[in-house]
Amino acid sequence: MSTQPVDQRVGRDEVHPLIKWMRNNRRVLTSAGFLFLMLIAFVIASPDVFTQFRTYRSVMIALPVSIFVVIPLVFVVTAGEIDLSFPAVVGMASYGFAAIVDAGGNPLLGIFAALAIGVVLGYLNGILVVHIGLSALVATLGMNFLLRGLINITVEGFSIAMPELRGTLVHSLMTDDPILGIPNQMLWATAFAILGLFLYNYHRFGIHVHCVGDHPGSAAEMGVNVARTRIMVFVFTGIGAALAGVFSVMINFVWWPTTGDGLLLPVLAGLFVGGTPTWGGIGTVLGGAFGVTIVSFIETGVIAAGLTGFFTQFFYGLIIIVSLIGQRFNGARVR
Amino acid sequence: MSDYIIELKNITKSFGNVNAVEGVSLQIKPGEVVGLIGDNGAGKSTLIKILSGVHPPDKGEIFVRGEKVSHWNAARSRLSGIETVYQDRALVIQQSITRNIFMGREIQRRFGFVDTKKQRQEANRLMRDIGFTSKVFDPDSPVATLSGGERQGVAIARALYFDAELIILDEPTTALSLTETRKVFSFIENVRARGKSIIFIGHNIYHVYDVAERFIVLDRGKIVLTSDKTEVSSAEYLIETMHDIAETGHAEIHA
Ligand SMILES: Nc1ncnc2c1ncn2[C@@H]1O[C@H](COP(=O)(O)OP(=O)(O)OP(=O)(O)O)[C@@H](O)[C@H]1O
Ligand SMILES: [Mg+2]
């Protein structure tokens, strides 16, 4: 509404639908474009490695673990929160799984146990942040140490090997590769990402997550249950971390007391490289998946290019900064 | 069935040391337009946020159509037919116009999924109804791209959409041009003609005097005056009374 009759104004109308679509999806397009350019660069730098399917296959073995955590983290950050406890939740949930399998239990039962642990720990994070009012950053960081400490106290450094998983139906459903040699875990992770995409954009939960992260006061005034929405994003992260933990153990046949620890930095980097900004209210689920894919390829690319592992960190940093600069062109926070 | 859409009895609400609302009782009848006036900080917004379920009262009772309600909250108040245009507009500006209009009351399909296509069509129609042209305004564009007055238009359109029994407008005309203000008034007439109730909060007493048929004056959290328009001869008279209240803390209507 304005003092001038609106229909006589020009300038904001008549954009082509494709341009509009690109504008609305510019964050995910940026990360997809970045992934594409990076792969081209790798193909040019080491064609004999990056034209081989097994290079991609090897990345697809462990990448799903990151995807299971990054998708719910997109929800968390969109809601204006953060969860740094996911590495230890991965560890705890997969410990539940491993303990049950090790004791001769059904792996399916182990999966349910892992999910239950994820839900409970996520809920606990939610209570600490939402009802007790602790800072999400500090509280979940504390939980990460606390849970990892509990694991170490309990197992005293021992890992659990589960060769008995091999050949079980659950294991082959989760990790075989009957379709074009693509590991099943990649298909599960893709399905999870698509589910996340629909939840995020078309489900009341995802829409409320956007509103709460954008302006919690406004959301509350319009009747959105802000507290419940905020707790649910932590529960969702717990679920994602549990799935990540189970897949990680299924892939390796071993549970280590450190399982999940290595995820912290690559997953956070992937999340932000993927185009979800830090301030809340907006984000992209597919971008998050692309982001962790970018990060996963860096190590492979560096080694394939004949550089030593020492370069990996340097390239992590470089690619994070460069892609964040790319995302910066998608705009700063509006107020 | 009660005579009132909503009734407050002895409502008290404080924030720390500030007693924003103290022992307020009021009733809203179907089809009436009530003007709620008072100085800055008198507690008007707090009072209507209690009505709309945003703030739980510290003390007192709320009756909706004669029935006492407990655990009153914003979602419930909207479901029982109360829509509010808040002073702060209650918008989420990084989200689309459509998402803002349906925030908290999404059109749902199965399993909690939202019918985004239907919402978009409805938003488009609604924006056109209130004078946005679809050429300029796309229901997908974020509210951040709109001007202050346009944003206010979205907030008002949203209150209109759900066909409420009671619409609460907290300073709906601040930041609006004359033409837009006139639009808001014709909208109020429209709502009144359909037999719905309105609570109108405003600092422009002339505006309030024109639209309302009953006035409630709030001062430092208490109702100091309730009177029908028939008891108030003119807007000037109402302004005079407000001055008295500011000085003495109470008021009488002199015949
Ligand atoms: N969320 C809050 N937290 C703390 N104090 C508050 C809050 N909301 C209102 N107050 C205080 O309560 C009192 C009444 O505020 P309220 O917003 O209801 O006044 P108002 O009559 O709407 O004023 P205005 O005409 O300026 O909008 C003020 O002293 C205000 O500072
Ligand atoms: Mg106010």
Side-chain angles (χ1 to χ4, degrees), chain A residues 1 13 202-203 221-222 281, chain B residues 95 111 114 135 150 180:
Chain A
M1 302 212 277
D13 53 346
Y202 303 104
H203 194 274
E221 284 178 343
M222 297 320 290
Chain B
Q95 316 301 321
F111 309 122
V114 172
K135 270 206 163 166
E150 289 163 348
E180 298 306 322

Side-chain angles (χ1 to χ4, degrees), chain A residues 162-225:
Chain A
M162 286 155 283
E164 63 267 39
L165 280 175
R166 201 179 294 276
T168 60
L169 179 65
V170 179
H171 184 263
S172 40
L173 279 177
M174 286 171 76
T175 60
D176 279 359
D177 52 4
I179 303 165
L180 301 169
I182 297 170
N184 274 354
Q185 61 263 39
M186 193 62 209
L187 303 180
W188 287 107
T190 306
F192 188 72
I194 290 170
L195 174 76
L197 181 72
F198 276 92
L199 277 182
Y200 191 73
N201 293 311
Y202 303 104
H203 194 274
R204 242 160 65 98
F205 170 56
I207 289 172
H208 287 178
V209 165
H210 284 88
C211 297
V212 166
D214 197 314
H215 195 304
S218 295
E221 284 178 343
M222 297 320 290
V224 172
N225 192 333

Side-chain angles (χ1 to χ4, degrees), chain A residues 26 41 72 82 131 158 163-164 172 191 193 213 220 224 250 253 256 263 275 321 329 331 335:
Chain A
R26 53 186 193 237
I82 186 67
H131 288 315
F158 287 100
E164 63 267 39
S172 40
V224 172
M250 284 282 192
F253 298 99
W256 287 283
L263 290 172
I321 301 289
F329 289 107
R335 283 174 201 281

Side-chain angles (χ1 to χ4, degrees), chain A residues 1-3 6 9 12-14 20 202-204 208 210-211 214 218 220-223 279-281 335, chain B residues 49 78 86 88 90-91 93-95 99 106 108 111-112 114 131 135 138 140 145 150 153 158 177 180:
Chain A
M1 302 212 277
S2 93
T3 48
V6 275
R9 292 186 305 183
R12 276 201 272 175
D13 53 346
E14 315 263 10
K20 204 182 105 185
Y202 303 104
H203 194 274
R204 242 160 65 98
H208 287 178
H210 284 88
C211 297
D214 197 314
S218 295
E221 284 178 343
M222 297 320 290
W279 59 73
R335 283 174 201 281
Chain B
K49 282 183 182 175
R78 294 189 76 190
Y86 293 95
D88 64 19
L91 297 170
I93 64 169
Q94 298 177 90
Q95 316 301 321
R99 199 170 269 179
E106 292 81 8
Q108 282 184 68
F111 309 122
V114 172
K135 270 206 163 166
D138 177 340
D140 295 333
T145 61
E150 289 163 348
R158 174 169 64 188
S177 68
E180 298 306 322

